[in-house]
Amino acid sequence: MSVTAGNYGRQSADLLVNRQLSDNLYGRITASNNRRDAFADNLAGGFSAGNQDTQTYRASLLWEPTADTEVLWRADYGVMDQGSALRTSIVPSLQAIDGGTDVFGDYALDTPTIEDRDSFGTSLTVTSDFENFTLTSITAFSKFDSHLQQDEDGTANPDYMFGSANFDEQEQFSQEFRLNGATDRLKWTLGASYAQEKLEHVTDAYFTAGSLESFAVYEGVKAAYENAGLTTTELEDIAVQTRQGMIAGGLEGAAVATFVYDLMVQSGQADQLLAMFGAPDFITASMLDREQMAAQLMAGITPWVMADTPGTNPLPIPVTTARQPFTVTLPGA
């Protein structure tokens, strides 16, 4: 047995027991846990990140009922309930808005970081030696549930909020039969196996109307500097400066209005609205003035962006034209 302790509430312990239980039965048990508090503070409050809390347990039994037969059973269980890895933005302009960021010090995040996982597995292996061959049977089952959530933008700025969460449930069963044999000139193997797996995966995205505006600005910057040879961080830095200039110039919502209008045209929603408003059949969205239409959309979108309205998936966006209000839906936003 070993025990470790340290600062930030560090505690860990490992236990191993390995014994012969009878003349033909042997057992082994191991257990370990590892805990540590977060090493930095979340200046935005509400939760911490970077803490550790894991536990693992394993057991095995070896039974030898005869000189030619061996039965081995194994099982393991693990649980993890901790904050996921800490992320912080390295975009200079975004760091400046937050007053500077020390990547080795305190941080500010607005999406809780979560790393939860429960796992269990067990297997049974039976090996029997016969005169001319060996028969092996392996039966196994495993399952796990996990919830992994991350603050992707590395800030607590609602204008750039983007978080993701992945939920997984998995079960797997397998069965294998194997025959092995050998002669003076030949070694041979014959086997059959079966496996079945069930997996369910869901991904959620967390964002605001403000972060959608920032994304639209970044896409515009990326297109404008496509051949400039800039790194992603440099492009993001220009996008942050551009976004701040738009805010100062009263253009909050302009980027996402243009982005939404382009999606409406591409998805056919703009043509459907024209038909709803009674436009002749030969009038299509591609014939409209893009800048004027985006400016009309801004009337409904700007307050939505300025309020950093939380986003959903799919994303309904309330907008207003000179004629009447309507809702645009962005699938898979």
Side-chain angles (χ1 to χ4, degrees):
M1 179 176 181
S2 65
V3 178
T4 303
N7 58 349
Y8 297 105
R10 170 69 187 279
Q11 300 177 17
S12 65
D14 297 283
L15 173 67
L16 169 63
V17 178
N18 192 9
R19 295 192 61 182
Q20 181 174 350
L21 304 176
S22 67
D23 291 342
N24 60 352
L25 183 63
Y26 311 85
R28 173 182 291 183
I29 297 176
T30 65
S32 65
N33 70 74
N34 184 31
R35 293 185 176 92
R36 192 205 65 203
D37 298 333
F39 56 83
D41 295 327
N42 182 8
L43 302 179
F47 62 92
S48 60
N51 61 302
Q52 296 180 346
D53 190 350
T54 61
Q55 301 174 56
T56 304
Y57 306 93
R58 294 185 176 92
S60 61
L61 287 173
L62 175 61
W63 179 40
E64 298 176 337
T66 68
D68 299 322
T69 301
E70 178 181 284
V71 180
L72 177 61
W73 171 78
R74 295 187 180 98
D76 64 84
Y77 172 72
V79 58
M80 177 184 294
D81 183 9
Q82 61 187 28
S84 59
L86 174 61
R87 293 186 181 183
T88 186
S89 175
I90 60 172
V91 179
S93 296
L94 197 52
Q95 288 183 338
I97 293 174
D98 288 341
T101 300
D102 178 4
V103 296
F104 299 105
D106 294 337
Y107 56 92
L109 301 178
D110 49 16
T111 301
T113 64
I114 299 171
E115 192 170 6
D116 289 349
R117 184 185 295 112
D118 288 343
S119 62
F120 170 76
T122 184
S123 66
L124 183 67
T125 302
V126 180
T127 304
S128 296
D129 293 324
F130 295 88
E131 183 175 354
N132 296 316
F133 62 89
T134 298
L135 171 64
T136 302
S137 169
I138 304 175
T139 307
F141 172 80
S142 64
K143 62 179 293 186
F144 76 84
D145 301 326
S146 67
H147 173 197
L148 304 178
Q149 184 167 297
Q150 183 69 57
D151 188 305
E152 302 289 352
D153 63 287
T155 75
N157 190 326
D159 283 342
Y160 298 91
M161 177 185 178
F162 184 70
S164 66
N166 294 285
F167 303 88
D168 291 281
E169 295 183 6
Q170 186 257 17
E171 287 189 3
Q172 180 174 324
F173 171 81
S174 63
Q175 174 63 58
E176 177 183 351
F177 294 104
R178 186 171 65 242
L179 292 173
N180 297 88
T183 65
D184 293 339
R185 297 184 177 182
L186 178 67
K187 292 183 178 180
W188 57 271
T189 299
L190 177 65
S193 63
Y194 168 82
Q196 182 184 53
E197 181 180 21
K198 298 178 181 178
L199 176 63
E200 181 177 343
H201 174 83
V202 176
T203 297
D204 288 343
Y206 308 114
F207 55 94
T208 66
S211 53
L212 186 61
E213 171 82 350
S214 297
F215 169 77
V217 172
Y218 172 74
E219 288 298 307
V221 168
K222 188 170 65 173
Y225 291 86
E226 183 177 4
N227 299 317
L230 300 178
T231 66
T232 299
T233 300
E234 291 171 332
L235 290 172
E236 290 175 344
D237 195 46
I238 295 173
V240 172
Q241 296 176 41
T242 303
R243 173 82 197 278
Q244 296 308 305
M246 293 174 66
I247 293 174
L251 296 175
E252 186 81 339
V256 76
T258 304
F259 178 71
V260 168
Y261 178 69
D262 289 342
L263 285 180
M264 290 172 61
V265 173
Q266 295 169 13
S267 66
Q269 291 188 66
D271 289 326
Q272 295 173 14
L273 288 171
L274 286 173
M276 184 179 70
F277 293 155
D281 293 341
F282 63 87
I283 300 295
T284 64
S286 61
M287 302 169 63
L288 302 178
D289 187 291
R290 179 171 177 263
E291 292 185 2
Q292 289 185 4
M293 293 303 299
Q296 290 192 49
L297 292 178
M298 277 186 64
I301 287 179
T302 296
W304 184 72
V305 171
M306 294 180 67
D308 286 311
T309 305
T312 58
N313 190 2
L315 176 63
I317 301 179
V319 296
T320 304
T321 68
R323 295 288 299 273
Q324 67 183 75
F326 60 94
T327 296
V328 176
T329 298
L330 304 185

